[in-house]
Amino acid sequence: MNRFGERFTITTFGESHGKAIGCVLDGVPAGLAIDEAYIQSELDRRRPGQNEFATARKEADKVEILSGIFEGFTTGTPIMMVIYNTDQKSGDYSNVKDIFRPGHADFTYFHKYGIRDYRGGGRSSARETAARVAGGAVAKLMLAQLGISFQSGISAIHGIEAQNLDFNYPPQSPIYALDPSVEEAQKGAILEAKNAHDSVGGVATVKISGLPIGLGEGLYYKLDAVLAEAMMGINAVKAVEIGEGIHSSELLASQNNDPIAPEGFKSNHAGGILGGMSNGDDVLLRVHFKPTPSIFIEQESINTASESVHVSLKGRHDPCVAVRGSVVAESMAALVVADMLLLNMGRTMHGVTNYYQ
Ligand SMILES: Cc1cc2nc3c(=O)[nH]c(=O)nc-3n(C[C@H](O)[C@H](O)[C@H](O)COP(=O)(O)O)c2cc1C
């Protein structure tokens, strides 16, 4: 199960300390202009080693397109993109070769498969998410032609919540903060945990704008359900909220319903989705990331022989995965919307005749 999507699909491959990671996109319509510099710029947003708020692993994350493009346009054939790993320090992981890191995937991968690439977490590492960002960039190029756009940033770190969301601010912030008024406090929380050899969790918010009404399939491929699946499939994501989210269960309907006027909805508690379909308003997703599991504080665990051990981890790790994770969440949202858009085309006779006439 390394593939995601029904019509616009992404299959990813590779491990953290293997030769390369990458993806194959299938179902991308022919004739889409591919701006390679844009794809690279998206990877640069997720790239590690850029500041003290991210892992020190230095990867250029240069993407190479191997197929599916001719003279700058998609040909309708599979698009393969590869990103070579260049800064693996597998020696950092020799002390966890036979030990399960608390909070990481080592325990379950070992017991499921009986074999585990322990170097940097192998396939369970979020290094794989660079491939999703490359795929998401192609989806965004397609969706931009229809006026659909994506923005994201950090709304909360370790419980320090943004008061106002400014989606134009994150590019100026090393932690992609959405609210400059709490940015310093959020940065402080990350550095305090890092200096204590610990890590913190956070919340990324993704905004999708310009969706037509009706994207999303009833009943088992609803837009909210698939977005939630896409977000929960990102490493370290533990909860997803849409619109009012968990708060909606505390409200009265008279507070939660969005009044409808001829010019549109008067509020957006629904987060842009009703009945599993886009309602034309912005879709707002809050994606909750847990604290990075690999920390340098001594922890209790067991080894592969089920003996108790105390483990002090080495290696280079993000002190807060939500920061770079926000870019991954945005990319997954783009992959979902691209898929939904292609699925939706055949849902009415108007859509069908529009295409064949
Ligand atoms: C962008 C990103 C970077 C991550 N970096 C690290 C890291 O440096 N060290 C680590 O232990 N976990 C990191 N993680 C989280 C682990 O990959 C994840 O917690 C692990 O695979 C276990 O899966 P689970 O938390 O979903 O249960 C990162 C996650 C994301 C999204």
Side-chain angles (χ1 to χ4, degrees), residues 94-177:
S94 52
N95 70 329
V96 290
K97 184 172 169 294
D98 301 312
I99 290 171
F100 305 122
R101 284 174 295 167
H104 217 293
D106 308 338
F107 182 87
T108 40
Y109 267 63
F110 180 79
H111 283 91
K112 181 180 172 79
Y113 298 109
I115 180 169
R116 165 171 83 91
D117 179 352
Y118 61 85
R119 304 160 309 156
R123 179 86 177 139
S124 76
S125 163
R127 176 102 194 98
E128 179 268 353
T129 61
R132 306 188 197 196
V133 173
V138 174
K140 284 184 188 179
L141 285 172
M142 176 180 112
L143 297 167
Q145 297 205 3
L146 295 144
I148 300 170
S149 61
F150 299 80
Q151 289 173 299
S152 69
I154 289 297
S155 36
I157 298 284
H158 197 41
I160 303 168
E161 274 284 350
Q163 302 307 310
N164 295 298
L165 304 184
D166 176 358
F167 283 93
N168 295 316
Y169 186 66
Q172 298 165 53
S173 163
I175 60 161
Y176 301 144

Side-chain angles (χ1 to χ4, degrees), residues 46 55 101 103-105 124-126 129 234-238 289-294 316-318 321 324-325 328:
R46 199 216 70 104
T55 169
R101 284 174 295 167
H104 217 293
S124 76
S125 163
T129 61
I234 300 170
N235 314 42
V237 171
K238 294 298 141 195
F289 290 83
K290 75 181 192 183
T292 321
S294 298
R316 298 159 296 172
H317 302 280
D318 287 272
V321 299
R324 296 194 302 124
V328 182

Side-chain angles (χ1 to χ4, degrees), residues 17 54 117 259 272 357:
H17 288 209
D117 179 352
Q357 272 171 5

Side-chain angles (χ1 to χ4, degrees), residues 2-32:
N2 295 291
R3 197 192 77 164
F4 182 81
E6 293 288 324
R7 293 284 184 279
F8 188 114
T9 69
I10 179 168
T11 305
T12 73
F13 59 85
E15 294 84 25
S16 179
H17 288 209
K19 193 166 186 177
I21 53 169
C23 68
V24 177
L25 297 178
D26 206 358
V28 184
L32 174 67

Side-chain angles (χ1 to χ4, degrees), residues 206 224 240-260 264-275 277 279-286:
V206 177
D224 41 3
V240 184
E241 295 181 83
I242 294 176
E244 208 59 53
I246 53 170
H247 187 226
S248 63
S249 62
E250 298 164 8
L251 297 179
L252 298 167
S254 52
Q255 299 168 311
N256 189 57
N257 290 346
D258 300 308
I260 315 174
F265 294 94
K266 292 182 125 177
S267 55
N268 191 10
H269 298 280
I273 303 175
L274 284 172
M277 298 171 195
N279 67 8
D281 249 348
D282 289 344
V283 170
L284 284 161
L285 299 168
R286 271 170 62 86

